[in-house]
Amino acid sequence: GINTDCFTIHDKSVKLFQLLYKWGEYELADEIGQFLIDTINMASAEDLIDEDEKQYFTEKLSHMHYLRGLMKLKTGSFDAARQEFYNALSTIYKDEPEIDPWKIKSKIAECYFKNSDYSNAIKNYRKNYYDTSREETKFRDDEENWKYAALSMLALSEFKAGQIDSAKIHFNLVETKFSQIDHDEDPIYYYTDWPLYQYYDANGNAKKALKHLNYA
């Protein structure tokens, strides 16, 4: 257990929270994360920390909300996870965010998908895929990679919602861009190849289904 009465807001407290998340100790990480978020908000509101400390810990808030959202997503608390991702967006440090907004938005869409709320999943995946705000800045390779992940998940959401024609168009587009996807980035398999496997398996195309199942 953790006695948070012994804790204060400190860089090492933040690092402990991150380590516990990394180790899969979600219950302890969640407890420390909630303590840190509450304490940072209170200390900032009551001017109990100087400006440098306030800036440092305020910048950490978004990342902590994001990790808490991932913990809740992994443990099946999809509505609570979505709220954490909303909080991550609302507290994001605009200049140099630790987690890019588009990545947080993709997790919001995933919460809807995991909750079988395909209508909202479609809406959010579509917004994330067609988001043009990133084009105003340097477009990084990992963003290009996850752009097609959003497209594949959009297609799967449409497929599960019975929007077959639209799903077919988007799955075909993913296939045409398949060579541009960096499959060395492990998580990408789940978001690109697993939807393609489900699509082709449902349509009886065993050859393509097996191809994407092997990738996944």
Side-chain angles (χ1 to χ4, degrees):
I2 294 289
N3 182 2
T4 52
D5 290 339
C6 301
F7 276 74
T8 186
I9 48 174
H10 191 278
D11 178 48
K12 290 182 179 179
S13 299
V14 176
K15 288 179 179 177
L16 177 60
F17 163 71
Q18 294 169 342
L19 282 172
L20 288 169
Y21 166 78
K22 183 178 179 181
W23 294 335
E25 297 288 349
Y26 295 153
E27 186 174 345
L28 292 176
D30 188 63
E31 186 178 348
I32 292 176
Q34 187 63 62
F35 164 79
L36 287 169
I37 290 167
D38 291 344
T39 307
I40 290 167
N41 288 333
M42 179 270 293
S44 298
E46 298 183 9
D47 295 322
L48 301 179
I49 49 179
D50 61 36
E51 286 302 315
D52 289 339
E53 289 177 314
K54 182 182 291 188
Q55 179 178 345
Y56 173 80
F57 288 114
T58 301
E59 290 171 11
K60 295 296 180 184
L61 275 177
S62 179
H63 192 213
M64 285 191 285
H65 280 299
Y66 178 73
L67 293 185
R68 280 168 56 85
L70 291 182
M71 288 189 287
K72 290 173 170 55
L73 181 59
K74 291 176 181 180
T75 54
S77 300
F78 304 127
D79 290 336
R82 188 158 45 88
Q83 186 58 56
E84 290 290 353
F85 294 132
Y86 290 148
N87 292 337
L89 282 176
S90 67
T91 56
I92 204 164
Y93 187 62
K94 302 298 182 183
D95 295 333
E96 295 182 10
E98 289 193 46
I99 305 295
D100 290 313
W102 61 267
K103 189 171 287 188
I104 301 173
K105 291 175 183 178
S106 75
K107 294 301 178 184
I108 291 172
E110 186 174 347
C111 288
Y112 281 120
F113 179 85
K114 290 288 181 66
N115 235 356
S116 300
D117 185 347
Y118 300 123
S119 176
N120 275 309
I122 289 168
K123 181 175 69 175
N124 282 274
Y125 279 125
R126 183 181 288 122
K127 282 195 301 185
N128 217 24
Y129 175 70
Y130 289 105
D131 181 11
T132 59
S133 64
R134 287 174 281 169
E135 296 174 2
E136 300 172 1
T137 60
K138 185 178 178 181
F139 206 73
R140 299 194 301 273
D141 290 340
D142 61 335
E143 293 187 7
E144 184 74 12
N145 215 30
W146 285 97
K147 184 180 178 72
Y148 296 119
L151 180 60
S152 193
M153 289 299 295
L154 167 61
L156 181 59
S157 301
E158 291 170 331
F159 186 69
K160 287 185 174 291
Q163 300 178 20
I164 306 302
D165 291 340
S166 182
K168 182 178 180 179
I169 291 170
H170 287 131
F171 274 127
N172 287 340
L173 183 55
V174 175
E175 288 263 75
T176 62
K177 301 293 185 179
F178 198 74
S179 62
Q180 300 177 27
I181 299 172
D182 178 12
H183 285 87
D184 289 333
E185 187 175 351
D186 290 340
I188 208 69
Y189 292 118
Y190 177 79
Y191 298 103
T192 55
D193 293 281
W194 185 245
L196 284 164
Y197 159 71
Q198 292 187 72
Y199 174 66
Y200 285 117
D201 183 60
N203 283 287
N205 190 330
K207 184 177 179 180
K208 284 196 171 184
L210 181 60
K211 168 190 169 183
H212 290 293
L213 180 60
N214 286 334
Y215 272 119

